Amino acid sequence: KDDLSFSMESLQSRILEVKERSNKLPLVVLDAMLPRQVLKVNVRNALLMELIRTRLEAEEPFFGMLGTARIASNDGGPPQLINLVHGVQVQ
């Protein structure tokens, strides 16, 4: 019975781990893109480089990317940047 309960606990733990990983995707906010659009990016941000390196090492080279929209100001001031609500999966 102990071997069976240990196996079930291990299995449940693994199932939760897989569910957690499949439901979460790191997000990056950059310029807006269209699906299947190819964008060459020169990354100078250390945090973004670490994210990419970590994802590659985990053999999951995907992350989500949200774009931004520039909304003109009514008073002639600088445009306001707004994060879009829909994004793309980047590989």
Side-chain angles (χ1 to χ4, degrees):
K1 185 175 182 176
D2 290 333
D3 289 339
L4 180 60
S5 66
F6 174 77
S7 296
M8 288 303 291
E9 287 174 15
S10 177
L11 179 60
Q12 286 176 334
S13 173
R14 179 68 179 132
I15 289 171
L16 287 174
E17 180 183 328
V18 169
K19 281 183 179 179
E20 182 86 7
R21 197 175 354 158
S22 67
N23 290 335
K24 292 188 177 181
L25 193 63
L27 289 178
V28 175
V29 178
L30 295 172
D31 287 334
M33 287 185 67
L34 298 171
R36 301 182 208 267
Q37 178 181 353
V38 176
L39 177 67
K40 183 177 179 180
V41 179
N42 292 323
V43 179
R44 293 184 183 98
N45 182 307
L47 187 57
L48 182 55
M49 282 300 297
E50 182 62 27
L51 168 67
I52 293 169
R53 187 177 299 111
T54 302
R55 299 297 290 178
L56 288 173
E57 288 172 357
E59 296 182 2
E60 296 176 342
F62 303 101
F63 58 92
M65 187 168 72
L66 294 176
T68 56
R70 288 178 176 80
I71 306 297
S73 172
N74 288 339
D75 61 6
Q80 182 180 10
L81 288 178
I82 298 175
N83 294 341
L84 301 174
V85 295
H86 299 284
V88 296
Q89 180 176 314
V90 179
Q91 178 179 11

